[in-house]
Amino acid sequence: TDFRARTLEELALLLREMGDLSSAEISARCEPDYPDGLAPTLASIQTAASWVAELAAQQRIVAIQIGSELRWVSVELQPDYAALVATKTSPNILRRYLRHAGPVTRAAILVRYPLEPLWLDETLRHMLDTHELVQGQFTAHAQDEYCDAHLFEQMHRRTLTLLRKEIQPVSRVAYTDFLCRWQHVHPATRLQGD
């Protein structure tokens, strides 16, 4: 996702929307907003770490051990993560992750979450059948990747927009000059003979 949290409240919203994030992932998604466009001073800087500490003190987020990594989760999502630890399955967590992860391999999903592999295969197949996901080789990976269908459509639209910007019409003068030369009407390109 391109969204960056600029305030404490935006970080809380980001964690509610995205689910679990490590401290490093949170730092990468935070850009503090400084008033009046002024350069930040030491007194005005609120880092992602201080926002995490404040949200934890307010009991709006909690730290959860997922595999070997400590991640922060919105309190509202804590039951889903408790189910993940207990049953090694959680469709809600998987859907939330895929909505924001972009193209991701099965192996990458299993590295991030301790899911039951057979359950994951069945769930991915079901999500493909119901068109929630698309499958293919979208990046440089040699393996199939999965991507949320809505996210894939958004990436496709953005790619088309970028490609369309590369194709800009030329001026009428340049187009007329091209046509005259191509049709051999221009004095420099006239054909000789029959």
Side-chain angles (χ1 to χ4, degrees), residues 68-104:
S68 62
E69 191 173 33
L70 187 68
R71 299 198 198 128
W72 293 97
V73 176
S74 180
V75 170
E76 293 93 346
L77 304 177
Q78 194 173 4
D80 287 340
Y81 287 90
L84 171 68
V85 171
T87 65
K88 305 271 189 226
T89 65
S90 179
N92 292 339
I93 291 173
L94 181 61
R95 280 187 177 90
R96 187 175 297 110
Y97 174 65
L98 290 171
R99 257 195 321 260
H100 300 285
V104 63

Side-chain angles (χ1 to χ4, degrees), residues 109-157:
I109 296 170
L110 289 173
V111 166
R112 184 163 182 92
Y113 297 108
L115 296 168
E116 174 60 42
L118 292 176
W119 175 87
L120 178 61
D121 292 339
E122 289 175 15
T123 305
L124 290 174
R125 194 172 313 113
H126 173 73
M127 292 171 82
L128 286 167
D129 291 343
T130 58
H131 305 289
E132 292 178 66
L133 291 181
V134 292
Q135 180 181 15
Q137 294 178 353
F138 307 113
T139 62
H141 293 292
Q143 302 173 345
D144 276 351
E145 296 170 300
Y146 299 91
C147 186
D148 178 77
H150 297 292
L151 182 58
F152 182 74
E153 289 171 13
Q154 184 181 29
M155 291 180 339
H156 183 69
R157 282 192 304 272

Side-chain angles (χ1 to χ4, degrees), residues 19-32:
D20 59 283
L21 294 173
S22 69
S23 294
E25 291 169 330
I26 289 172
S27 292
R29 287 173 174 80
C30 288
E31 290 180 4

